[in-house]
């Protein structure tokens, strides 16, 4: 009897499991060609040359197979889909959307926030569902390694709202264009479309004296035809040794010096300091609940085609080579086949159509993909 029940339970889960795996995308050239046309229309993709179209189709076909394999491997617990990155090879995705992989800096002890965890934390918490609104809409960085500026600004938007101010979109482009900060000791630098670090960006904003509104200094670096709809020259202080060679083509009239206007800085919004948070994920949760959404970084190589589920790649995820910065907004537990999976909820900057309306969940508790290694927040001047 016991055996029979066991068998039934096993069968039951096998059936459910099979039903959770998304139907594979058709892999034959013919069917994939039809799918490619539909996908191009859906994502308004236009290629200027037929050679490029041919190349993109090859990538698409190879990604279809890759995604089908990922879905099979993850047994429906995490799913992957054809999204806006479906015509990019994983290598191209890494080179244009992600930042070059870097080890996270360790900050001096006095920069760490003192976090006390006394009360037991709730089983779940989500800043996007609180009555106090501290998370702005999901943005799209396009094809530029500017995630670090989006992560920084998203944290500051939250800190501003935590002070009781109206939730407001702040200028990411100002930080991309103007911040060439570096830390000689850690050999880290902010490099515009070639990556950067939130802890340095807070320091730029502190020195600059403020931030413009998104609507006054709007994002243009990674959007529009191919490489961007604006071509800012490197930020003052851009360091070629740490950042690599800057883009070959740039326009002075679209650069920081020509665009930034301190008279438009949001009144009273001043960064006074910044803090790091320990790698202990219980302390990170406690800090986030009391402080507001936090800037975090991770290895996002395997996130390219993520759709839903608790992200925990089997391979290809480093805890020490980070290439993406995002915003931690919550945590919870998902139960899959009676197994409890603790996760973090994270706001991404790849548009609202990506993942779960622009968000993803990632395994919580074991430093998955380095998510706990570069947790920081700006400290705003008290108004
Ligand atoms: C760039 O960074 C390197 C490495 O930290 C440093 O040696 C060099 O002086 C910097 N260059 C400039 C122009 O600041
Ligand atoms: C900057 O100059 C270029 C070339 O003269 C022009 O095409 C572009 O529209 C200008 N951009 C802005 C923001 O004025
Ligand atoms: C993490 O922090 C909590 C609360 O401060 C503490 O109880 C726990 O022992 C820490 N875990 C580790 C692995 O240090």
């Amino acid at each position: 009897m016991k055996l029979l029940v066991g068998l039934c339970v096993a069968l039951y889960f096998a059936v459910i499991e099979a039903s959770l795996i998304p139907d594979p995308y058709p892999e034959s050239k013919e069917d994939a060609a039809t799918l490619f046309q539909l996908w191009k229309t859906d994502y308004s993709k236009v290629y200027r040359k037929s050679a490029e179209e041919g190349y993109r189709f090859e990538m698409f076909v190879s990604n279809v197979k890759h995604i089908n394999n990922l879905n099979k491997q993850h047994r429906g617990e995490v799913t992957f889909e054809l999204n806006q990155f479906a015509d990019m090879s994983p290598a191209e995705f890494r080179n244009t959307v992600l930042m070059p992989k870097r080890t996270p800096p360790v900050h001096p002890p006095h920069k760490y926030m003192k976090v006390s965890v006394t009360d037991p934390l709730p089983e779940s918490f989500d800043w996007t569902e609180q009555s106090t609104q501290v998370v702005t809409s999901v943005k799209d960085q396009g094809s530029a390694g500017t995630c670090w500026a989006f992560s920084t600004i998203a944290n500051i938007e939250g800190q501003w709202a935590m002070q009781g101010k109206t939730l407001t979109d702040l200028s990411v482009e100002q930080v991309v264009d103007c911040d060439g900060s570096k830390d000689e000791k850690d050999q880290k630098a902010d490099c515009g479309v070639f990556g950067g670090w939130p802890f340095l960006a807070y320091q730029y904003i502190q020195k600059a004296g403020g931030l413009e509104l998104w609507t006054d200094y709007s994002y243009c670096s990674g959007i529009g035809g191919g490489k961007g709809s604006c071509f800012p020259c490197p930020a003052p202080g851009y360091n070629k040794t740490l950042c690599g060679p800057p883009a070959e083509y740039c326009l002075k009239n679209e650069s920081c010096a020509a665009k930034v206007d301190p008279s438009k800085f949001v009144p009273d919004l001043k960064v006074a300091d910044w803090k790091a948070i320990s790698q202990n994920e219980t302390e990170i949760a406690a800090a986030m609940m009391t402080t507001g959404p936090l800037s975090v970084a991770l290895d996002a190589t395997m996130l390219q085609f993520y759709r839903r589920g608790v992200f925990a790649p089997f391979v290809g995820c480093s805890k020490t080579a980070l290439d993406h910065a995002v915003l931690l907004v919550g945590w919870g537990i998902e139960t899959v086949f009676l197994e409890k999976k603790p996760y973090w909820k994270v706001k991404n900057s790849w548009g609202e159509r990506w993942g779960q309306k622009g968000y993803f969940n990632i395994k919580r508790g074991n430093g998955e993909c380095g998510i706990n290694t570069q947790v920081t927040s700006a400290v705003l001047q008290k108004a």
Side-chain angles (χ1 to χ4, degrees):
M1 187 64 191
K2 240 191 195 157
L3 183 69
L4 193 64
V5 171
L7 270 175
C8 285
V9 169
L11 187 66
Y12 175 77
F13 280 117
V15 169
I16 300 228
E17 200 169 283
S19 70
L20 280 178
I21 303 177
D23 287 338
Y25 294 112
E27 292 186 8
S28 78
K29 266 249 147 100
E30 218 166 73
D31 289 342
T34 311
L35 197 59
F36 185 56
Q37 293 308 325
L38 290 171
W39 174 84
K40 269 174 35 189
T41 310
D42 197 10
Y43 282 93
S44 315
K45 296 273 175 177
V46 180
Y47 307 112
R48 269 179 243 138
K49 298 198 185 103
S50 71
E52 182 175 14
E53 172 121 11
Y55 170 75
R56 292 293 159 199
F57 179 57
E58 295 296 313
M59 287 299 115
F60 185 85
V61 170
S62 137
N63 285 333
V64 162
K65 291 188 182 128
H66 179 50
I67 291 166
N68 284 345
N69 279 337
L70 285 174
N71 278 329
K72 222 186 291 167
Q73 282 165 13
H74 287 80
R75 300 176 305 161
E77 297 180 27
V78 186
T79 61
F80 299 84
E81 66 179 346
L82 291 167
N83 55 23
Q84 76 259 41
F85 304 126
D87 63 350
M88 271 188 187
S89 73
E92 184 185 0
F93 173 74
R94 286 198 300 276
N95 292 336
T96 56
V97 179
L98 299 179
M99 311 189 287
K101 284 194 190 300
R102 305 237 198 269
T103 52
V106 175
H107 304 294
H110 73 272
K111 294 310 296 181
Y112 284 82
M113 197 183 275
K114 286 190 181 56
V115 182
S116 55
V117 188
T118 43
D119 301 326
L121 294 165
E123 194 174 83
S124 66
F125 179 81
D126 187 347
W127 271 119
T128 68
E129 285 173 2
Q130 306 301 309
S131 52
T132 318
Q133 293 193 0
V134 299
V135 186
T136 62
S137 64
V138 170
K139 308 298 188 295
D140 191 350
Q141 69 187 77
S143 32
T146 49
C147 60
W148 59 280
F150 281 89
S151 174
T152 302
I153 292 298
N155 164 262
I156 294 177
E157 287 166 346
Q159 291 303 298
W160 184 238
M162 291 291 287
Q163 284 196 350
K165 303 299 197 307
T166 311
L167 184 63
T168 313
D169 287 321
L170 300 169
S171 176
V172 171
E173 192 67 36
Q174 180 191 333
V175 175
V176 174
D177 292 356
C178 302
D179 176 14
S181 310
K182 55 188 168 295
D183 182 317
E184 296 287 347
K185 188 184 97 347
D186 274 321
Q187 295 283 295
K188 305 289 183 219
D190 285 348
C191 310
V193 298
F194 303 113
W197 294 94
F199 83 97
L200 290 173
Y202 304 137
Q203 296 175 57
Y204 153 74
I205 298 162
Q206 184 174 3
K207 258 191 235 148
L211 277 172
E212 293 190 40
L213 293 171
W214 173 286
T215 46
D216 284 336
Y217 195 155
S218 52
Y219 186 66
C220 54
S221 268
I223 52 169
K227 290 237 162 69
S229 58
C230 61
F231 303 90
C233 298
Y238 185 96
N239 185 304
K240 285 182 206 162
T241 315
L242 296 171
C243 294
E248 279 165 32
Y249 175 75
C250 74
L251 290 169
K252 282 227 163 77
N253 65 337
E254 295 185 344
S255 308
C256 177
K259 283 171 86 177
V260 71
D261 181 357
S263 76
K264 289 191 178 158
F265 284 174
V266 177
D268 301 329
L269 193 166
K270 301 241 179 290
V271 171
D273 196 5
W274 64 275
K275 288 285 173 200
I277 289 95
S278 86
Q279 298 196 3
N280 179 315
E281 289 177 73
T282 308
E283 292 179 3
I284 293 171
M288 183 179 64
M289 206 165 84
T290 50
T291 313
L294 300 171
S295 168
V296 293
L298 76 158
D299 175 350
T301 314
M302 294 299 294
L303 266 188
Q304 182 174 4
F305 300 118
Y306 170 92
R307 178 176 186 187
R308 70 157 307 281
V310 179
F311 182 68
F314 304 134
V315 288
C317 199
S318 162
K319 294 186 179 185
T320 51
L322 314 182
D323 56 19
H324 192 44
V326 284
L327 188 76
L328 202 65
V329 300
W331 72 79
I333 295 174
E334 183 176 298
T335 306
V336 189
F337 309 131
L338 303 178
E339 191 194 336
K340 282 179 188 271
K341 297 187 162 198
Y343 65 83
W344 293 111
K345 178 174 175 176
V346 185
K347 183 191 183 193
N348 203 350
S349 49
W350 295 344
E352 281 178 344
R353 279 188 75 179
W354 180 89
Q356 290 291 294
K357 298 197 166 83
Y359 287 78
F360 65 95
N361 292 342
I362 183 170
K363 189 171 173 182
R364 172 168 54 99
N366 69 335
E368 193 70 30
C369 303
I371 193 81
N372 63 339
T373 58
Q374 198 53 208
V375 189
T376 62
S377 177
V379 178
L380 298 190
Q381 213 170 76
K382 300 241 166 22

